[in-house]
C-alpha cells in the first residue's frame, strides 16, 4: 500500500513536459512559469478559460458568500474545482477548469458516453472519396458546457474568481462542467437530440455515426466527443445548422490532423486522400527523447521492426527496474496507437512486445527502442483511399459454388435487417487476406493470426493477435484464422450496410494454406479434430450463404504475412 501511495505521490509531483514545454501543476506554478519565461501565456489561458466558463456559458449560479455547511442547499454535495494545464500540438497553452467529480456520490444516472471508432472514421472518409463528397472537420468549443448537468453539486470560489466578484461565494454548478461524473453523458444526450432535430439518425453499425437522407446520397457526421467529421455535399449548410443551436465551432475545414491521424491529399502519381500516423510518429519520437534524454538511434541497418525470426519470449536478460518498467509501458502505449492509426508494418512486433508490459526485461526494452529506430527510418507511411474496384475476373472464372443441399441452407432471411438504410452511392467490393503463423510463441505454443480487410483497394481494417488455443498443425491454426476472418467479415459487411454502402457480391477471402481453403469449399470435406469443428462449420456456412468466396494464393503474395510474422521492409513494401 505504501509503495502504491509513493508511486501516486511521485506521479503527482513529477515535472511533466509536452512538446518540450513545462506543464504547471496548478495556478500558482503557472504564474511562476510565466515569470520565469517572461511572458503571460499561462495567465492568458487562465483568463480565457474563466471568461468562457463564468461569463460566456454562465456555468455557475451564486448563492452569495459562503456561511458554513448550513448554507449548502439540501441534496447538494460540496466539492472542489481545480485547474489543469496542457499544450496543444500547435503549442497553444491551454487551461481547463475541472470539477472534482471523484468526490461526489455516484447517482443512479448512467455516466457512459460512447465515441465513434477509428474504423468508422476511415469508412466515412472512404465513402466521401468514393462518392465525391466534401470532407470537413470541426471541433465544438467547450462542448460539455453546452449541456445542463443532472448532478447537484456546489463549490466555494477561490481567488481566481475575484475579478468576477465571486471570491468566497458558494457557486452551484448548473452546466456539465468537465470532471463531473455525468458530464460526458449529458453532452452526448444533448448532441444526440440536436442531431435528431437536424433529421439525422444514428447508424446501426456505430451509433456515433449520424446519417441524413439527401435523396441520391447520405450525409454523414462522425462524432468523437467534441470532434466532428462531416461528409456530404453542403458542409457550409450543416455547420450553419450547428451554429444556429448555439454550438461554437473551431477549426472548420478539410481535415489535416484528426484524433492523431494525418490527413493529406497526394498529387503524384495521382490525386488521392491518405490517412497515416506521420505527425503522431514525429511526436512520439520527441517523447522518446524526453524520456531517455537522447534522440532515437538513427540506423539505416534497421529494416524491420523486429528481426525476422526473433522470439522475445525466450529473452533471459535482467528484469527492468520500476523506472524502466514505467518507460516501457509508456513506449508500448505509443506504439499501440501508432498501429491503430495505420502503421500495419509494426503490428506483429507491437502485439508481441505488448505481452511483457507487466514485467519486461532489459532485452525487451531494447527491442522496443529498436521499433522506434525503425519508425524514425520509415516514418512517412500512410494508407491511400484508393476507390478503384479490383479486377477478380480470374478468380470468378475459377469459382464453383459448393452444393451442400440443405445442410447449411442458403441463408435467406438470416442477414435481413429491415432497419438498415437503402443502399446509395457507388458500390464496393470487399477483400480479406488471412494468415496464421504456427508456433509464433515458443513459450505458450500459440500461433498468431494476421488479417487485412480492404474496401475496393483501400485498407479498411487490420488484426494481429495470438490465438486462444494451442494448435499442433498448420491446418488447425489456419482454420482458426479463417474463422476469425469470417467473424470480422460479418461485422464489416453489416457496418457498411448500416451506412448505406452497396456491397457487390461476396467478400473475396484469400489464404495461403491450400488444405484449409479446399476444406472450406469441398462438399464432402470432413474434419477429425473436435476443437476445430466449430471453426470448420462457421467458415463453410459463410461460404454456403454467399458471404465469402475462399481462394488460395501463394504465401509470397499474401499481405497478411505482415501481421503474423516479423517481416523486413522490402517484404512488406512489395506486399502492401
Amino acid at each position: 500500500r505504501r509503495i502504491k501511495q509513493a508511486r501516486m505521490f511521485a506521479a503527482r509531483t513529477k515535472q511533466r513536459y509536452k512538446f518540450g514545454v513545462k506543464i504547471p501543476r496548478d495556478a500558482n506554478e503557472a504564474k511562476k512559469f510565466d515569470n520565469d519565461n517572461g511572458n503571460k501565456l499561462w495567465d492568458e489561458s487562465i483568463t480565457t478559460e474563466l471568461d468562457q466558463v463564468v461569463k460566456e456559458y454562465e456555468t455557475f449560479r451564486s448563492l452569495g458568500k459562503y456561511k458554513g455547511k448550513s448554507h449548502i442547499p439540501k441534496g447538494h454535495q460540496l466539492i472542489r474545482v481545480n485547474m489543469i494545464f496542457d499544450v496543444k500540438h500547435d503549442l497553444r497553452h491551454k487551461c481547463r477548469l475541472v470539477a472534482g467529480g471523484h468526490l461526489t456520490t455516484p447517482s443512479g444516472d448512467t455516466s457512459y458516453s460512447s465515441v465513434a471508432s477509428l474504423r468508422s472514421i476511415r469508412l466515412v472518409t472512404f465513402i466521401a472519396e468514393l462518392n465525391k463528397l466534401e470532407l470537413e472537420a470541426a471541433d465544438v468549443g467547450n462542448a460539455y458546457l453546452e449541456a445542463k448537468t443532472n448532478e447537484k453539486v456546489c463549490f466555494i470560489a477561490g481567488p481566481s474568481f475575484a475579478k468576477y466578484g465571486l471570491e468566497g461565494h458558494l457557486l452551484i454548478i448548473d452546466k456539465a462542467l468537465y470532471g463531473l461524473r455525468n458530464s460526458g453523458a449529458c453532452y452526448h444526450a444533448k448532441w444526440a437530440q440536436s442531431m435528431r432535430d437536424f433529421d439525422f439518425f444514428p447508424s446501426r453499425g456505430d451509433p456515433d455515426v449520424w446519417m441524413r437522407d439527401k435523396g441520391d446520397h447520405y450525409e454523414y457526421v462522425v462524432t468523437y466527443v467534441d470532434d466532428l467529421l462531416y461528409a456530404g455535399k453542403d458542409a457550409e449548410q450543416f455547420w450553419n445548422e450547428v451554429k444556429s443551436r448555439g454550438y461554437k465551432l473551431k477549426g472548420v475545414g478539410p481535415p489535416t490532423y484528426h484524433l492523431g491521424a494525418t490527413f493529406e491529399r497526394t498529387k503524384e502519381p495521382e490525386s488521392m486522400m491518405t490517412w497515416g500516423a506521420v505527425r503522431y510518429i514525429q511526436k512520439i519520437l520527441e517523447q522518446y527523447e524526453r524520456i531517455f534524454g537522447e534522440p532515437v538511434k538513427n540506423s539505416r541497418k534497421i529494416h524491420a521492426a523486429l528481426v525476422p525470426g526473433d522470439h522475445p519470449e525466450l529473452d533471459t536478460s535482467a528484469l527492468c527496474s520500476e523506472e524502466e518498467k514505467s518507460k516501457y509501458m509508456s513506449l508500448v502505449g505509443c506504439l499501440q496507437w501508432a498501429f491503430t492509426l495505420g502503421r500495419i508494418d509494426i503490428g506483429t512486433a507491437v502485439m508481441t512486445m505488448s505481452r511483457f508490459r507487466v514485467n519486461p526485461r532489459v532485452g525487451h526494452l531494447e527491442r522496443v527502442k529498436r521499433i522506434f529506430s525503425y519508425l524514425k527510418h520509415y516514418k512517412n507511411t500512410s494508407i491511400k483511399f484508393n476507390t478503384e474496384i479490383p479486377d477478380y475476373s480470374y478468380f470468378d472464372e475459377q469459382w464453383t459454388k459448393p452444393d451442400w443441399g440443405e445442410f447449411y441452407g442458403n441463408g435467406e432471411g438470416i442477414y435481413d435487417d429491415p432497419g438498415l438504410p437503402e443502399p446509395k452511392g457507388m458500390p464496393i467490393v470487399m477483400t480479406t487476406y488471412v494468415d496464421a503463423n504456427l508456433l509464433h510463441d515458443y513459450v505458450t505454443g500459440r500461433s498468431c493470426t494476421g488479417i487485412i480487410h480492404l474496401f475496393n483497394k483501400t485498407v479498411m481494417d487490420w488484426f494481429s493477435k495470438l490465438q486462444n488455443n494451442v494448435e499442433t498443425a498448420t491446418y488447425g491454426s489456419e482454420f482458426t484464422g479463417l474463422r476469425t476472418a469470417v467473424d470480422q467479415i460479418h461485422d464489416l459487411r453489416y457496418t457498411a450496410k448500416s451506412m448505406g454502402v452497396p456491397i457487390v457480391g461476396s467478400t473475396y477471402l484469400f489464404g495461403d494454406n491450400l488444405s484449409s481453403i479446399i476444406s472450406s469449399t469441398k462438399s464432402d470435406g470432413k474434419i477429425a479434430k473436435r476443437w476445430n469443428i466449430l471453426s470448420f462449420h462457421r467458415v463453410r456456412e459463410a461460404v454456403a450463404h454467399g458471404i465469402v468466396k475462399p481462394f488460395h494464393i501463394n504465401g509470397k503474395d499474401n499481405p497478411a504475412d505482415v501481421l503474423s510474422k516479423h517481416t523486413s521492409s522490402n517484404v512488406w513494401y512489395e506486399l502492401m
Side-chain angles (χ1 to χ4, degrees):
R1 180 165 168 259
R2 290 184 176 180
I3 292 175
K4 185 177 180 180
Q5 289 176 339
R7 288 177 182 170
M8 292 175 64
F9 177 78
R12 288 194 300 266
T13 58
K14 183 180 179 181
Q15 181 60 62
R16 189 166 69 95
Y17 291 83
K18 190 170 182 182
F19 305 125
V21 179
K22 290 172 69 174
I23 307 298
R25 288 180 284 264
D26 53 41
N28 291 331
E29 196 168 64
K31 292 178 181 179
K32 179 180 180 301
F33 287 174
D34 276 348
N35 292 332
D36 294 342
N37 298 329
N39 57 43
K40 293 185 177 182
L41 294 178
W42 290 119
D43 182 63
E44 290 171 356
S45 70
I46 293 174
T47 301
T48 300
E49 173 68 5
L50 290 179
D51 282 349
Q52 290 179 335
V53 171
V54 177
K55 293 182 177 180
E56 191 172 346
Y57 289 92
E58 299 179 345
T59 307
F60 315 116
R61 178 163 41 91
S62 175
L63 297 183
K65 285 282 187 178
Y66 180 61
K67 302 172 183 177
K69 291 185 178 181
S70 60
H71 193 192
I72 301 174
K74 184 178 180 181
H76 284 66
Q77 298 179 68
L78 184 66
I79 63 171
R80 297 191 298 267
V81 297
N82 62 290
M83 294 180 181
I84 60 173
F85 300 89
D86 194 18
V87 173
K88 296 294 187 179
H89 62 88
D90 56 1
L91 298 184
R92 283 182 294 119
H93 289 47
K94 181 73 175 178
C95 170
R96 179 77 74 189
L97 186 69
V98 177
H102 62 292
L103 300 174
T104 63
T105 303
S107 64
D109 298 315
T110 179
S111 58
Y112 175 73
S113 175
S114 61
V115 295
S117 67
L118 290 184
R119 187 182 73 180
S120 293
I121 295 175
R122 286 193 297 272
L123 180 51
V124 169
T125 303
F126 172 81
I127 294 172
E129 288 293 295
L130 181 69
N131 296 310
K132 303 295 187 291
L133 304 179
E134 298 175 19
L135 187 69
E136 290 197 359
D139 176 48
V140 180
N142 290 296
Y144 282 12
L145 301 182
E146 297 288 351
K148 293 279 188 179
T149 183
N150 56 12
E151 300 183 60
K152 295 181 178 181
V153 288
C154 57
F155 70 98
I156 303 170
S160 299
F161 290 83
K163 62 184 294 186
Y164 308 101
L166 296 174
E167 183 179 4
H169 283 227
L170 183 66
L171 302 182
I172 302 292
I173 302 178
D174 286 332
K175 296 293 184 69
L177 187 66
Y178 290 87
L180 293 178
R181 290 181 185 272
N182 298 344
S183 290
C186 291
Y187 169 70
H188 190 277
K190 177 180 172 61
W191 175 256
Q193 186 56 53
S194 297
M195 294 301 289
R196 290 187 175 93
D197 292 343
F198 298 150
D199 293 328
F200 280 82
F201 60 92
S203 163
R204 283 177 174 253
D206 189 332
D208 290 290
V209 176
W210 295 85
M211 303 168 57
R212 182 164 62 182
D213 193 343
K214 300 297 287 185
D216 60 342
H217 71 285
Y218 292 105
E219 284 183 312
Y220 302 87
V221 176
V222 187
T223 59
Y224 195 102
V225 190
D226 57 352
D227 290 305
L228 309 177
L229 186 68
Y230 168 86
K233 293 187 177 180
D234 197 344
E236 184 178 359
Q237 178 193 358
F238 173 71
W239 299 131
N240 287 335
E241 286 181 295
V242 174
K243 292 176 183 176
S244 69
R245 288 302 180 95
Y247 294 100
K248 298 173 178 61
L249 301 179
K250 300 183 296 183
V252 177
T256 55
Y257 186 73
H258 193 67
L259 299 177
T262 302
F263 288 78
E264 184 178 2
R265 184 170 294 280
T266 61
K267 296 181 179 179
E268 294 181 356
E270 53 196 337
S271 178
M272 196 173 294
M273 178 65 78
T274 64
W275 152 299
V278 179
R279 288 173 66 177
Y280 179 75
I281 294 299
Q282 187 58 46
K283 289 182 180 181
I284 65 175
L285 292 177
E286 294 170 0
Q287 182 172 338
Y288 177 102
E289 185 171 350
R290 288 193 296 273
I291 290 175
F292 292 101
E294 60 182 12
V296 177
K297 183 180 179 181
N298 189 7
S299 175
R300 295 189 177 274
K301 296 180 180 180
I302 297 178
H303 299 287
L306 289 182
V307 177
D310 186 20
H311 289 275
E313 66 274 13
L314 301 180
D315 190 287
T316 57
S317 59
L319 293 172
C320 289
S321 65
E322 289 298 323
E323 182 180 359
E324 289 173 328
K325 186 188 299 185
S326 175
K327 293 177 180 178
Y328 185 91
M329 294 178 71
S330 177
L331 295 180
V332 168
C334 293
L335 293 174
Q336 287 177 325
W337 191 246
F339 172 63
T340 304
L341 290 176
R343 288 308 300 257
I344 303 173
D345 50 318
I346 66 171
T348 310
V350 174
M351 179 273 297
T352 302
M353 302 313 300
S354 297
R355 296 180 53 236
F356 310 109
R357 283 177 298 176
V358 175
N359 206 15
R361 296 182 179 274
V362 173
H364 298 150
L365 181 59
E366 291 303 315
R367 286 176 172 86
V368 169
K369 290 182 178 180
R370 174 193 170 91
I371 299 175
F372 272 80
S373 296
Y374 169 80
L375 288 176
K376 185 174 184 178
H377 190 39
Y378 297 95
K379 57 187 175 185
N380 294 321
T381 300
S382 297
I383 293 174
K384 286 185 175 182
F385 288 92
N386 188 345
T387 60
E388 181 184 354
I389 294 179
D391 181 9
Y392 290 141
S393 56
Y394 170 78
F395 295 101
D396 290 334
E397 292 172 1
Q398 293 182 329
W399 176 252
T400 301
K401 186 175 181 179
D403 183 11
W404 283 312
E406 294 301 318
F407 191 82
Y408 295 109
N410 58 14
E412 186 176 350
I414 295 179
Y415 309 102
D416 295 340
D417 185 344
L420 292 179
E422 177 189 353
K424 295 182 180 183
M426 301 298 292
I428 67 167
V429 172
M430 289 180 57
T431 308
T432 296
Y433 293 92
V434 60
D435 184 58
N437 182 27
L438 185 69
L439 194 60
H440 181 84
D441 190 303
Y442 277 12
V443 173
T444 64
R446 282 173 167 76
S447 306
C448 176
T449 298
I451 303 172
I452 295 180
H453 303 279
L454 293 91
F455 283 14
N456 289 355
K457 291 186 177 181
T458 301
V459 175
M460 187 56 58
D461 206 6
W462 46 91
F463 178 86
S464 178
K465 188 179 179 181
L466 289 180
Q467 295 179 0
N468 293 328
N469 300 320
V470 177
E471 296 293 343
T472 57
T474 301
Y475 178 85
S477 64
E478 292 282 357
F479 234 111
T480 300
L482 281 173
R483 189 261 305 158
T484 303
V486 166
D487 289 345
Q488 294 178 1
I489 288 169
H490 277 291
D491 173 28
L492 276 166
R493 289 177 70 90
Y494 185 84
T495 300
K497 288 180 178 179
S498 72
M499 296 185 190
V501 179
I503 301 176
V504 177
S506 307
T507 298
Y508 291 84
L509 177 59
F510 296 105
D512 54 26
N513 182 262
L514 183 59
S515 297
S516 60
I517 296 298
I518 291 176
S519 295
S520 302
T521 56
K522 192 176 179 181
S523 300
D524 57 350
K526 296 181 180 179
I527 192 167
K529 295 181 180 180
R530 294 179 63 187
W531 56 89
N532 287 328
I533 288 177
L534 291 179
S535 295
F536 176 80
H537 288 297
R538 174 66 164 166
V539 175
R540 286 162 64 92
E541 181 187 58
V543 175
H545 293 175
I547 301 299
V548 299
K549 290 181 179 178
F551 294 98
H552 174 258
I553 58 173
N554 192 300
K556 295 180 180 180
D557 300 324
N558 190 355
D561 269 15
V562 177
L563 291 168
S564 63
K565 305 176 183 68
H566 304 310
T567 54
S568 61
S569 60
N570 62 326
V571 174
W572 67 255
Y573 183 82
E574 291 298 327
L575 287 173
M576 296 306 296

